[in-house]
Amino acid sequence: MKTELYIIGGFLGSGKTTLLLQLLKKEKKAGRKVAVLMNEVGAVSVDSALLGEETAVRDMLNGCICCTIKDEIEVELLTLYKDHRPDVIYIETTGAAHPMEVLDACMSPVIAMQIDVKGILTLVDCARWMERNRLPIAHRKLMEDQARWSDVVALTKTDLVTEEALAEIKQDIRSLNEKVDLREMKFGKIEGGAMFGGGSRSEEGHHVHQHLHVRTFAYEFVNHVPRAAFIKWVEQLPDSVLRIKGFVKFEDTGERPELFQYAYGVPFFQPQPMKRRAVIVVIGDGLDEEALRNGLNKLEGVF
């Protein structure tokens, strides 16, 4: 059984920890074992003390998941998984985190076969969104990208803007992300209830999962594959495939898989000094998992 993974993002003060506490309460009621990975820029973790002793918490301090300590997340996730075997892991990111970079950091080939990414939820501060054009270009682009790549966007501090402004914000976000599930969050409560967590098998929960914006697909090789055939398979992938990374066992490299990475249409191969588990991870927008699996099965002669 895979461990579910949820990513919660949004700028500082948008209400992430308030939402996280609600989700943990929902998980506890459902009897599920929960772990939390908190990433704060600063030397001291404040919020983890609020989560309760029954929740396994790992803090990643002094840096952002998607840049300065990106490599550490693999170790942190592995530690949470091996020590606690949780049903679900929640990651609360810093406001400086880009959702795609966080997702990429989480989907390490070392742990990808044990993780099932269920969704990215971003909280958007309405007042700050209305003022975003006054921010430096990089900050404004980050705020917009957080909305663009999320499955669910919850609008917070809606009481600080007019109804007209709120309608404009919703239009802005839908123009960036037509697939988004857009909600309002008032007094720490999301309209319609928290759609994630609790092992929900409701129709709404199923709908959200089936229409995730960015999907991930992990595949473990059983056999060696022909290098030329693998390169041809990569070249024929649709534009919806954004990133591939992992380790591949080629027929011409013996027992040591090669590191393979693919981004922006460019493949990269690198021999490895030691044996590794031959797993690749595909990240993309609306991936056809069945087609990917069939293509890889064909490459290594598994039917």
Side-chain angles (χ1 to χ4, degrees):
M1 194 72 175
K2 291 189 174 185
T3 294
E4 296 178 9
L5 179 72
Y6 297 93
I7 298 167
I8 301 174
F11 274 73
L12 185 67
S14 58
K16 290 176 295 192
T17 302
T18 300
L19 174 62
L20 178 60
L21 291 171
Q22 287 182 46
L23 291 169
L24 294 181
K25 187 176 180 180
K26 184 178 179 183
E27 297 287 7
K28 185 176 181 180
K29 188 176 180 181
R32 298 217 300 169
K33 192 172 184 179
V34 186
V36 174
L37 183 57
M38 303 193 77
N39 177 212
E40 301 178 19
V41 176
V44 180
S45 170
V46 177
D47 296 323
S48 60
L50 302 174
L51 303 180
E53 293 181 359
E54 67 276 7
T55 302
V57 180
R58 299 284 296 181
D59 292 311
M60 299 183 70
L61 307 176
N62 290 321
C64 174
I65 279 176
C66 61
C67 46
T68 56
I69 56 175
K70 183 175 179 179
D71 292 342
E72 293 179 26
I73 193 171
E74 176 182 309
V75 176
E76 298 294 343
L77 281 176
L78 271 172
T79 300
L80 281 174
Y81 180 79
K82 288 181 177 179
D83 291 354
H84 304 282
R85 295 299 167 103
D87 298 306
V88 56
I89 297 174
Y90 285 95
I91 296 182
E92 181 185 329
T93 71
T94 69
H98 191 292
M100 285 298 291
E101 292 296 328
V102 175
L103 180 63
D104 181 63
C106 293
M107 292 307 293
S108 161
V110 175
I111 197 173
M113 298 303 294
Q114 286 79 43
I115 295 292
D116 181 13
V117 178
K118 294 298 232 180
I120 300 172
L121 187 151
T122 296
L123 277 62
V124 170
D125 180 323
C126 287
R128 184 171 288 181
W129 181 271
M130 292 297 293
E131 299 293 324
R132 72 189 185 284
N133 287 330
R134 297 183 181 181
L135 296 172
I137 292 175
H139 290 185
R140 183 175 74 241
K141 187 177 186 303
L142 174 61
M143 185 178 286
E144 291 175 349
D145 278 353
Q146 287 178 341
R148 179 180 285 110
W149 293 108
S150 292
D151 303 301
V152 178
V153 168
L155 301 175
T156 68
K157 302 181 183 177
T158 54
D159 56 314
L160 299 181
V161 297
T162 64
E163 288 188 15
E164 292 78 10
L166 183 59
E168 182 181 333
I169 292 169
K170 290 180 178 179
Q171 185 176 347
D172 286 343
I173 292 174
R174 287 200 174 99
S175 70
L176 292 169
N177 182 356
E178 62 181 16
K179 299 179 182 179
V180 71
D181 184 350
L182 195 55
R183 308 286 184 102
E184 292 181 34
M185 185 171 171
K186 297 179 179 177
F187 307 108
K189 304 275 188 183
I190 289 183
E191 63 174 337
M195 69 298 299
F196 289 156
S200 174
R201 290 291 180 265
S202 66
E203 185 62 34
E204 180 184 20
H206 178 73
H207 173 81
V208 169
H209 181 64
Q210 290 302 310
H211 293 81
L212 291 182
H213 192 168
V214 181
R215 302 293 292 269
T216 62
F217 170 74
Y219 182 90
E220 182 167 14
F221 291 94
V222 177
N223 303 318
H224 292 70
V225 299
R227 186 183 297 270
F230 180 81
I231 293 173
K232 185 176 181 181
W233 174 78
V234 170
E235 290 173 344
Q236 294 175 345
L237 290 172
D239 293 339
S240 58
V241 173
L242 305 173
R243 179 84 193 272
I244 305 175
K245 61 180 181 177
F247 303 96
V248 184
K249 294 192 295 186
F250 293 110
E251 291 179 346
D252 57 359
T253 55
E255 289 304 309
R256 293 179 181 175
E258 282 192 26
L259 170 67
F260 172 74
Q261 297 193 63
Y262 170 88
Y264 305 106
V266 180
F268 171 80
F269 299 87
Q270 185 177 55
Q272 295 298 293
M274 64 184 73
K275 287 183 64 175
R276 293 181 180 272
R277 192 176 179 185
V279 173
I280 63 169
V281 177
V282 183
I283 300 174
D285 187 356
L287 295 178
D288 185 340
E289 294 185 14
E290 185 177 358
L292 290 171
R293 184 177 289 106
N294 289 341
L296 290 166
N297 283 346
K298 187 177 179 180
L299 277 178
E300 60 171 340
V302 178
F303 299 99

